Structure formats: C-alpha cells, structure tokens
Amino acid sequence: MSSNTGPTSLPHRAVSSIRAGAHSTVAPAPQTPARPITSTLGSPSTSSRVDDDPIVVELGSRKLRLGFAGDAAPKRIVAFSPDQQRRTGDFRLWEPDFASQWRGRASGKPWGADHELWRLDIRGQDLALVGDKLERELRDAFFKYLLVDSKPRKVTLVLPPTLPIPLLSSTLDTIFHHFHAPTISLLSSPVMAAFAAGTRSGLIIDLGWHETTVTAVYEYREVQSWRTIRAGKLLVEETYEFLLQAVRGQLTTARAEQIEDRLRDEALSFEECEEIATRMLWCKKAARQPYRKMAEEGLPTVHEHEEEVEDEIPPTEDHSLMTITLNSCKPPTTVEIPFSQLAEPCETTFFEARLSPSCFDDDELPVHLLAYRALLQLPLDVRAICRIFDEVSILAEENSWDPVRGKGAEQCKAKSKFKRDSARQESNGNIPIVLQSDTTSSDGEAAEPPVKTADVPQEVDQVENLIKRERNYKPPVQGFLRAIDSLGPWCGGSLATQMKAPALATIDREIWLQQGLNGASRPSEVDVKTGQRQTTGLYSSSSSASNSSSTSSSSSSSNSHDEASQNQHQEHQQRPTIAPRPNIDIKHIRQNPELYEKNCLERNYKVQSTYPARINALFAQWQARQKDGRSLRERSNALRRQIANPATIQHEDEAENGAAAGSQQDRSQATDSISHPPGYGSMRDVRTMTKDELLEEARLLKQTLSTIEGDEARLSTEMTDLALAIPNMTDENTPRGDEPRVLSYINEPHPFD
Amino acid sequence: MASFTPYTYIQCPCHDSTVQGRTADDASPTVSHELNEDDDDGHAFDPRAQRSIFSLYPLEYLLYCDVCHQIRCPRCVSEELVTIYCPSCLFEVGSSSLKTEGNRCTRSCFQCPICIGPLAVQALESPPESAPVLSEGAGTPIPSASWVLTCSYCHWNSSEIGVKFDKPQGIFAQLQKLRYGEDQSKHVISGDSSPTKPESIPDTSKARFAALKSFYGSQTVNANPSAGLSGLGDYGLNSPGALTRIMSIYSGNNMNGLKQKNKPTIMREADSHNEGFRLTDLDESSAISQLRRDGMDGTITSAQAKVQVEEGAQFADQLWPIPYLLRTKRSKRCPVCRHIISKPEPKVSNTRWRIRLAANNNAIPTISIKPLNPPPGSGSGLLRPMRPAQFLLTFKNPLFDDVKVTLATPATTPGRFASRVTVLCPEFSIDANPDNDMYLDDVLKDGEKERQRQRGDEGIHQAEAGKIWERGRNWVSIVVEVVPASLRLDPSSVSFRTEGGSEPDLSTLREDEDILEIPMFVRLEWESEASHDQVGATISREKDAREKRELAYWCAIGIGRISQE
C-alpha cells in the first residue's frame, strides 16, 4: 500500500467494461441497481418468490453467514473451529477433560490455523480441504438452520474485496458440486456494506481477520482498496503476548520479540486469547485534540460528530484492577490487570501510536493512517470525476493533513464516504473478533464498533463526503465527513438479492461444469470482480490504445505470478463464449514498439518486452503474405469468373478489373506497384484457355492460396496472442523504476534518514 | 484418555468423485493437489490426512442403495423434508410457516442464554389473582407483568434482563414485542413519503433493514420502473412490469423511452432515519464504563454469543432467551437412481423408520476388534512400541448370501510413525446370515462353534498365515499382527518416516498421532438374486439367475494407542 506498489486494485479497464456489461450491477450506470419487487401493480410473483428465495452466503476466513435473501439477519453464523473438523462420530469433544488438552490438539499447526477456513497465502494450502470444510459447514447450516432440502437453489456469495482466485474457485466448485446450485451470483462485500448503509459511495474500513481493508466504493463500484495486516489475527496475537506478560507478572510495555513456543505450560490457548480479546479489550479515544481543532477552524464544513469530548472519568486513567481467569495455562491462574492496560493490545494492533509513521512497512500501516492515505490517493483513481487533484496535492502540502482530507475530498467530490462499518468483522476475515472490549461487534447491530471510539482524530476523516446525487428529493450531502452505520455486507447482500439487483457476476452451473472442470478458475469469466487480482495480461490490450490510459498499474508483485500462469493457460484454452472479446489496438503497438517494450521492462515483464518487436516481425511476414497472395487471388478470381461465365463481355470484365485494381490500390500501401498486376496481362490468356486448363490452374491456385491464407491466419492469431500478453500501459502517475522517490512525509521524517 | 475403544471408520467412495472434480482445477497449483492426484491412483489412502476427516464415517452413519449397490454417506444423499417440528414441544410446523416465521419455535419454548438449558415459565411473585377478571379490556394490559422465564439448571431468569411477561402463553410473541418494539410492519413505511415520525424507527437492525428495504423499493419504483427492468433479463416476466417493458420494446421510441434517455434517473441515497440511514454513534463510553463496572463476569463468553439468535451481544444483560431451533425429519434418496434409501415416520412422536437401508444391515460386514491374548490385568491397555501384538478382527456378514472378502493393507501405516501391519489371512469367505426359519441349523452350528472355542482356549491354537482363526454362522475372525512404531522423535529410528528426504519433521506429537490406525482396503464379492424390480420382465423369468456383486471400500481401523515411553 505504499505509493510504490500503487493502487493495487483498480480493475483493469477491460474488466470494468465487463462490469458494465450484462452482469454487473455494480455497474456504473447510475440507475437503480434494483428492480422493484413491489413493482407497480404488486407483482403476482410474490407468492412464488418465497419458494425460491436465493440463499445468501457471506464468506470470510473465520466466519460464514447464511440466510435467505430478504431476511433481516443471517439465519446461521458459523465460526470455524477445530471442533468442526473431527470425524463424524468422534465425540471426544464431550469428554470432561477435553478442554484441558488443547496442547495436543494445537501442536503441529500454525497458531490458530484450525479456526480459519483459509489463509490468504494460498501457497501450500490444500484447496480441496478448504472445499471440504466449507461443504460440511454449508451442509450443516442448510439442513439444521435453514431447514431446506436438497433442492437446488440459487446462491449469492458476498465476497471480500480481494479473494484469491483459487479460493474462489474452490468455493464455487464446492457449491456447484455438492449443492447443485443452478447459478451463483457474486457480490462484493464493501459494496454491499455501502448498500446496507443506504449509500452509494463511501470509504469502507473493514477490520477483518487476516487483514484490514479500506475500500473506496463509489456509485456501487469498488474503486480501490488498501490493506494492512493490522487486523483481528494480529490483535489476538497481541493479546496473547499481553496476557502472557500478565501471567508472568510483568506488565511492561516492552515486549519480548521472539516467537516462543506456544505450547508451554504457561502458554494460553488460542481460544482463550480470542475470548479475552473479545470480552475485555477496549479501545481508547482519540487523544489528539489539537488537530481536531485545527481541522475545525480550517474546515467549517467538517462535522465531527464523534468528536465530542466527553471524558468524565477518562477510562484511560482508571487503574482499578480487572480480574481475568485464565484456564488454559497450567495451572490455571487469575490475573489482575488495570483497566487502562486492557486497551493496550488494541491500541498497539490498530494504531500503534508510539512509533513514528515512517517506520511502518507497507503492509502494516496502522488503520488510521491507512484510511488517511486511502483518502489521499483516492482522487487519483477517480480522476475521471475529479480533475482537480493537483489542487488537492497542493492543499496537501499547504495544510496539515486533516483539512486536506476534508477539502480535497470535497472538492474532488471524491466520494468517499466513510462508513466504517462495523461489519468489519466480516470481511476478509470475518473476524469474529471484536475488537474491542466492548465489542463484539456485530455488524448489523447498533453496536457501534468500538473501534470508532477508538479512532483517533483521524477518524474524522473517515468520515465521508457524499457525492452528488443527482436527483434527490433532498439536497445532497456533500463534503461532510460522516461516520455511517451499516447493517453489514450480509444484510446488503440479502437486500440486493431480494431486490434482484444484478450481481457483479453470475455464474451458471452448466458453464462452470464445462469450463470449470478443465480450466478451473477461469477468472475471466468466473468472476469478473476478482478481476482485480487478475492480470492485466489477460485483457491487456483493450485499453492499451490510449496512451493516457487510465488503467492503474494494477499488478502488485504478488499478482504477477498469477498472471504469468494465467497467460499460459490462455494460450491453449478456449475462451468461454461469454467472455468479452478482447479488442486490441495492435497498430498502436506496432507503431510504438519501444514504448511498449519500455513499459514491459518497467513492470518486470521480461518475456513480454520482446513481444512488440516480435509483433512487428510477424506483421512484416503477414504483409509479405498478403502481397504474395494478392496476385494469385486476382488470377484466381479471373479464372473463377471465366469458368462460371465464359460468355462474359470483355469490357465489363475490364471495368470490374479496373475497379478492383483501384480499390486495391487504395488499400495497399503506396509502395505497391500492382496497379496492373501481372495477372491483368494474363487475363487474356484466361479467355483463350480451355475449360480443363482453367480448372487445372484454378486448382493449383487454390492450393497455394490456402497455404498462404493459413499462414496469414496463423500470423494474425499469433500477433493477437502476443498483444494480449503485453501488459497495459502504466499510468503516468505510477512511480517508475525501483528507486523510491519521497513525495512527502506524513508527520516527521524517519530519524535515520 | 487411557481407555481406548477400537473403532472402524469407513470411507465412502463418493470421496473419489469429489477429488476428481477438484484436481481438475489446474489453476490451483498447490502442492497438495499433486498429492491428491496420487491418491486417485488408489494406493495411498491415509486416514490421517486432513481431508479424510471429511470422508470417513462410522458404519452406523452409512446407508446403502440396493439398486446402485453403492454405499451412501451423509454427503452423497439428497434429502427431502418430511416433518418440521420443535424438539421441545414436538409441535409440528408447516413448511410454509417456516418461510414466514423463521426457523425457531414460535410458541413458548426457549433455551437459557447462559447454559442452554430449557426455560420454564414461572409466576414471578404471587400469581396475579385479579388478572383474569380485569383482562376484558383489550387495551388495558395488566400493569404488573408477573411471569418470567427461568432456567432450572443455572437459575437464570428473564427478569435479569428486565423481561417479564403479562401472560404465560405466547411467550415468543411477547418477547418479540419487547425486543423489537411494536409490530414491525408499522415501520415499513412505504416510500420516502414525508417522515412522519423519524424517531419511530427503533434502533434494531430488523427495523432498519425493513426501512432500508422499503426505501430501496420505493426508489426503484420511482426511478422509472422499466429502466430498472431493462438490464434484468429474465426476471419478472410474470409481473406486470414486464408488460410495460415489452410495450416499450415494441412501441419503439415512445415517450417512455425518450424520457429515459434524456434523464437517466439515479437512485438517491438514503439519508433519513426513516429510510434506514443512520450515522454511527462513535461514542462508546457507555460500553466502556459498563465494562469497567462489570468486569469480565459481566461480558458474555463466545459460546454464549454463538447461540444467540442475533449477533452483537456483549454484556450479560444483552442476552435474550433463545427460542428453540426447529428440527426436521428428512428422507434420503440415492442421488443417482433417486431411490428412497431412508424414510422416517412422518409423525413427530414416532421415532421409527419406514424405510432404512442402513449399510450395516444390507451390505457391509461389521468389523469388531479385540486383542488376541488380552494382557492379564490389562495394565494400561496401551500398545508397547516395537513389541508385536496380535489382534482378532471379526467380520460379521449381514447378507443372506455367502460373501468372499479380500483385505489389503499397506505394510506400514502412513504418517510419521510407521507401524508394521500383517494381515495373516487376507482372503476368506463368510457364510450367509441365516434366515430365522433355519433355526435348527443355527443351533447345530452354534454347538460347533462352541467346540471350536473350547479348542481355542486350550492355547494350542496358533495364529497361522493363510488360515482364519475362527468361523461361526455368519462370522469369521482373522488375526492381524502389528508391530507398533516407537513414538520417539528420533530420525534414526526405523519406524520414523521422513518424507522424501526432506527435513525430518520433529515437531511434537500431534493429537491422535499415538493411535495405531490401519488403513484397510476391503473388497466384498457375493452372488445374490438379480434384482427384479429394476430390470423388468425379461430377466425376472429366469428366477434363479444369480448376479455377481462386488463392493470395495477403504476403512480405517483403530487398533489401539501406543504408549509413549
């Protein structure tokens, strides 16, 4: 999420065009994503609809939410746990000393791995196992909670913004194979969160399990998302350290850095840490008043609701001891921790205020900084809407960042609304964890996410600007930063599905079974949305035509691997019929080979960098073929005409020939000297030849021509393939090269600089 | 822990098909996939592999389709609802009311939110003696609500969360009312028509959801109905809106079409409370102070949170009684031939089955395991590493035909600790399960068996390769010899297996790794009467025609726990 990697997720242009296509709801089209169910006359379909309510499934790495479309809340929320991964008929769970033997169970696996459905790093992960786990949970939920039978039902999946394609593929496979769903629609969870908040745009911060994502949603489209590993998992680990310190009796802020063996006697189990994280931790309020005031002065428009300061007895000062009983260590102990200390893990995990902002790696920015950065970068991406982003950057320099945010955003009308959704849990990780003490945030609930509380002044930013909405009954809200409560992605999904809003992508079972079996994840068709992860290579060239193409440099390094492999598949696999046709401006490539080559090199596409040259070479060959073929074709035409209609009057012929030659001239490059091709001379011969001779010659010509045409076809497909593999032009705003260039510092520069 | 019961798990063959489906994913080049492909070749079944957790079942869980002659596990049957009922009051619920009322019992059955014990309705103080008299006036609820739900196990009662009921019946409805305020339908204000009472929408997510739903509904209606339809393909052909659409298609550029072009309507955003829009209250100080006040005991455990109907509870006073989840009886069909292989009695109170083709009665021999020479005193019951031990596997044939059994096991068990396994008699046949009519025969055979057993007791009987140990009416015992591996994490040890020359995995002993579990491939062959029902008249003429059947599957046999010395 540094500026180097750049915006990782702006979908390729081609992808966005797909979105605009038949299946996307989330399409830019500003009109109603939904179709009135209660349409004009009260549709008779209501009764029948009940029967085939689609099932809405929200997937996360920790939790699964299931329910029928149109329900206000999921019927079943599954948290993955090792208990679900036992053999059927293994009832050890109920043995009295089961809980105390967690060490044996936990050994040999990454900490807490049993509680996750998947890890985002799919290397070495058994995808079939993921499918199995998922299948068991889904089956359980379907039969025990949804009480449905095995009848096929439509399924709507609400997916986190960046789900690796293999995982998605495994998921789809499971659902299609075991539950025979006729179609699966995919929705994106940030968009659904926005939908459930009743807004069209916003900045959605999703504190997930594996990572926290900040996603800008504009007009029901994901514009861009940023992520950081400061999420639920880190929080639980932080809690572990914290509790361990407490057990040892040294409540210091200094931590032991090394990872220790987590199975020792004094160690705590994952379950217990998570439980305490959910129950006891809390989060401090913003500490930096001064900024806030500045912001207010500078920007009267900014409303800061959250900000009222209301500390009667600041919880931070409260040193009364809280008693926590720990059972999973040997022997069980009770620790007493001052209440104020309990905010520590949360603070460290999400905000880490002690360290200077310049010392974070790209993937571990504190949440508030990330949100801030997201807002700053946003305008770039949405430049179509905002032309003013220069100003923004100027502003950025001039003002302290708080105002910048507000203003920039405002002016650009970038919309980021900020909804921080409490739903945070859900997304990637669906973390059950709640962040704060208070916590458990559920998404839907009124419970305000504690985090917010916590959020530092910057929260302000989170808030949002609404964008123009055009036809409103009420004046649009603009330029405000608001924190909006969302019902959560599941509810959004439920709503959207019930309204029959078209999904981001809809996958048909038949197609999946055909294409999916050999080409498993065919991201191209499977999910358009994950297009983000998908390589530019696939559709690359569609946008390459424009130099100024606005595609962001989408591929971060992690993606590039996928891309390469996908490209390979692409070569021998038939594109699905429903995939959009790639439309590439090869001419542009031919005319600017250096440009493309440079671009490839800059993006570390070594192999592809030779393609422009090869394309030119191929093109030369192709042209040569064309040239060779032309005279033969003419001759062949003449023969054909003669054979078909020997009585043709001569001057008609000539006229035709002349016209043909003329048009050829137009077509051909000036260099062609074929105004009167050799065939023209022999044309008279044609008339003198006997029928047999004609036939014989025509036969010969046909053979030669067919080889030439074969060559031509081969060359042109090869060119197309090469052109497809060339990455898009890099956006001019993307930093080039591997030398980082400091744009500015947030807060003070790094001490070592 | 010390006690160990030998067990048998059977792998349903359906697992193969799913594997194939998956390995076809070429887009997922993970290592494990390659491994799976190896599995498909049929040799390395590893009961320890994580995936086999999902395909192994105890025999009792399996069904058998007697038309396809295939084992059917819970994963590979298709189910149909027969009855939906509340497990607490056994009241039967119609599937239509399931749609409207949800999946919980809507009468008075509740579970305790603390301990999930059943809750009972109890009068709080003295029952309101005047209540029956007063209650005629519909609008005058008895002011002193005096019924509560109490848990007889942990003594929780609903007054702890401030919930009391006016009357002891219809608790569910009363609770809904208390929890979500008035009837929700009132809040579904259609459209954005002026917010009459913005405050009227309570902050429950349900009400917000309803508000949002109606908001979106109204938006999409207002934003010309046909525009919404245009992109939506096949939806709603049965609705009047479709007419409009079709009209607009055929009438060309009529007014409607023009209007759409000129002014694309935009759905606006919700922005009032009434429309389900809500700013978040970022002030969590009340929650924090509550946490401060109540401490750990005031918060709920994750187990408690999990059973709550709605997410989001944090403190003990946010726990609501849990209405019982409805349960179903379902019949099962073979997914291939659609034959019913299990069908319960539809009546709730009747626990019997009309049809049930359980695998253990219809195809698969049960396997029971016991040590051949039980150690006297049966000390720890653990297997001692590197000491050969012999076990008796007894196969019992449920079929009315003789069955020929072939067994195969890998020479060493898979996993890090390779114990050696020898099946002394891998091929044998078991006599048919005698009909009840043949009582006399049974008795005679029993006598024979008795004699055999006596012979065995003399101790002369030696386990011998290629010979079965003992045979009875419809059962056969064979001997399996195992040499348990040593559980020491010592790469130099013979029984410690290092995978493919890579670093030996020296991590500590995992759960159940000390159990000696034998993967065993069982192949059954028998001849039975051709099934007439399915094949039709032609074959049924030759009644004596025998049909050869076979069935093969993997099973995992847990023999015992190896002691860690």
Side-chain angles (χ1 to χ4, degrees), chain B residues 37 43 49 58-59 74 110 115 145 219 232 236 238 240 284 288 307 357 374-375 409 425 427 473 489 543:
Chain B
E37 273 157 30
H43 52 90
L59 184 52
F110 287 92
C115 67
Q219 281 299 305
L232 293 166
N238 48 352
E284 296 243 304
I288 292 181
V307 291
L357 299 171
T409 57
C425 179
E427 255 189 89
R473 262 185 305 187
L489 291 165
K543 277 203 168 170

Side-chain angles (χ1 to χ4, degrees), chain A residues 30-36 43-45 50 65 70-72 75 77 85-89 91-92 101 104-105 107 122 125-129 132 135-136 139 143 145 147-150 169 174 178 195-201 220 275 279-280 282 305-306 313 315 318 322-323 339 417 437-440 442-443 445-446 448-450 452-453 466 469-473 482-485 491 494-495 498-499 502 517-521 573, chain B residues 1 7 9 18 21-22 24-28 30 32-33 36 47 50-51 53-54 56-58 61 74-75 78-81 84 98-99 102-103 192 203 205-206 208-209 212-213 216-217 219-223 225 228-229 232 235-236 238-241 265-272 275 277-284 287-288 291-292 295-296 299-302 306 310-314 325-326 328 330 508-512 517:
Chain A
Q31 346 134 303
T32 91
R35 159 191 174 249
S43 77
S45 63
V50 180
R65 283 158 220 264
D71 283 352
K75 285 255 189 292
I77 300 159
Q85 295 158 36
R86 316 206 138 256
R87 292 178 184 169
T88 317
F91 297 117
R92 229 174 315 179
Q101 287 160 4
R105 267 172 274 137
S107 66
I122 55 169
Q125 207 172 163
D126 188 347
L127 293 177
L129 183 64
D132 278 340
E135 190 255 337
R136 179 176 276 193
R139 186 174 294 277
F143 294 155
Y145 290 84
L147 305 180
V148 296
D149 49 23
S150 307
S169 145
T174 306
H178 292 282
F195 195 70
T199 53
R200 306 171 65 84
S201 334
Y220 298 132
E275 171 121 9
R279 291 172 71 171
M280 294 306 291
W282 59 284
H305 322 244
E306 327 84 23
I313 315 154
D318 185 357
M322 306 297 283
T323 315
F339 186 73
K417 137 186 343 129
S437 38
D438 357 323
T439 14
T440 313
S442 57
D443 17 324
E445 283 266 351
E448 340 140 46
K452 298 175 179 173
T453 356
L466 276 196
R469 340 179 184 163
E470 307 201 336
R471 112 172 156 148
N472 273 342
Y473 303 114
R482 304 187 289 181
I484 298 173
D485 190 34
C491 295
S494 166
L495 264 177
Q498 207 205 9
M499 314 282 298
L517 275 183
N518 54 9
S521 73
Q573 284 170 9
Chain B
M1 255 270 168
Y7 58 82
Y9 278 96
T18 59
R22 293 256 169 65
D25 292 6
D26 56 349
S28 44
T30 53
S32 51
H33 261 243
N36 276 340
Q50 270 192 300
R51 280 206 68 198
I53 289 176
F54 298 94
L56 286 172
Y57 292 90
Y61 285 72
R75 287 215 292 186
S78 64
E79 312 196 5
E80 283 163 20
L81 293 181
I84 306 169
L98 191 65
K99 299 260 157 52
N103 56 349
D192 40 338
D203 271 351
S205 55
K206 251 188 193 170
R208 274 188 69 200
F209 186 85
L212 260 181
K213 195 155 119 184
Y216 279 123
Q219 281 299 305
T220 47
V221 174
N222 293 346
L229 284 173
L232 293 166
Y235 286 127
N238 48 352
S239 78
T265 45
I266 293 192
M267 213 173 67
R268 70 183 176 88
E269 298 183 315
D271 60 358
S272 79
E275 294 163 354
F277 177 82
R278 209 158 71 78
L279 290 179
T280 319
D281 180 9
L282 292 183
D283 178 11
E284 296 243 304
I288 292 181
L291 179 69
R292 235 156 44 162
M296 178 108 166
T299 59
I300 62 172
T301 66
S302 53
K306 227 178 267 178
E310 280 190 17
E311 293 177 280
Q314 298 164 8
L325 195 61
L326 298 179
T328 54
R330 38 187 75 229
T508 48
L509 206 62
R510 286 168 217 150
E511 185 186 27
D512 287 351
E517 198 172 65

Side-chain angles (χ1 to χ4, degrees), chain A residues 106-181:
Chain A
S107 66
K109 301 169 196 159
W111 205 57
D114 275 344
H115 292 262
E116 298 166 2
L117 173 59
W118 57 55
R119 272 162 289 137
L120 289 181
D121 177 5
I122 55 169
R123 282 171 299 182
Q125 207 172 163
D126 188 347
L127 293 177
L129 183 64
V130 171
D132 278 340
K133 285 186 194 174
L134 193 64
E135 190 255 337
R136 179 176 276 193
E137 286 315 322
L138 285 176
R139 186 174 294 277
D140 184 69
F142 278 16
F143 294 155
K144 288 204 184 129
Y145 290 84
L146 301 189
L147 305 180
V148 296
D149 49 23
S150 307
K151 201 173 62 177
R153 279 159 187 278
K154 288 185 186 159
V155 173
T156 301
L157 278 177
V158 180
L159 298 168
T162 45
L163 186 64
I165 287 177
L167 290 179
L168 179 67
S169 145
S170 174
T171 307
L172 293 176
D173 212 37
T174 306
I175 297 178
F176 280 129
H177 273 105
H178 292 282
F179 303 101
H180 307 284

Side-chain angles (χ1 to χ4, degrees), chain A residues 309-367:
Chain A
V309 189
E310 66 313 69
D311 308 11
E312 327 96 43
I313 315 154
T316 25
E317 315 281 303
D318 185 357
H319 291 291
S320 57
L321 292 181
M322 306 297 283
T323 315
I324 297 179
T325 315
L326 302 172
N327 293 319
S328 61
C329 50
K330 283 187 218 167
T333 46
T334 301
V335 293
E336 300 203 319
I337 302 174
F339 186 73
S340 55
Q341 293 278 0
L342 282 172
E344 271 322 301
C346 195
E347 291 292 302
T348 347
T349 309
F350 293 104
F351 305 107
E352 192 66 278
R354 282 193 303 265
L355 300 176
S356 134
S358 49
C359 52
F360 296 113
D361 265 354
D362 289 345
D363 61 345
E364 57 174 34
L365 279 179
V367 175

Side-chain angles (χ1 to χ4, degrees), chain A residues 261-311:
Chain A
D261 176 14
R262 289 190 161 148
L263 299 174
R264 283 164 315 162
D265 281 354
E266 61 177 3
L268 300 165
S269 67
F270 176 85
E271 290 83 359
E272 184 141 36
C273 289
E274 180 167 16
E275 171 121 9
I276 288 174
T278 337
R279 291 172 71 171
M280 294 306 291
L281 300 187
W282 59 284
C283 205
K284 286 184 197 155
K285 268 204 176 221
R288 306 197 219 169
Q289 261 70 358
Y291 268 138
R292 233 179 266 152
K293 292 203 181 108
M294 261 184 59
E296 262 156 352
E297 291 160 9
L299 261 194
T301 39
V302 178
H303 283 226
E304 305 167 350
H305 322 244
E306 327 84 23
E307 314 270 336
E308 295 132 44
V309 189
E310 66 313 69
D311 308 11

Side-chain angles (χ1 to χ4, degrees), chain A residues 690-731:
Chain A
T690 67
K691 182 126 189 178
D692 284 345
E693 281 169 342
L694 286 173
L695 286 176
E696 181 56 27
E697 190 179 351
R699 213 169 280 134
L700 283 175
L701 277 177
K702 196 176 169 193
Q703 277 172 7
T704 347
L705 270 179
S706 71
T707 52
I708 290 182
E709 274 161 9
D711 279 353
E712 281 175 2
R714 181 180 53 78
L715 290 170
S716 68
T717 40
E718 200 170 336
M719 278 191 287
T720 317
D721 286 347
L722 290 176
L724 276 172
I726 295 179
N728 285 349
M729 296 305 292
T730 311
D731 187 279

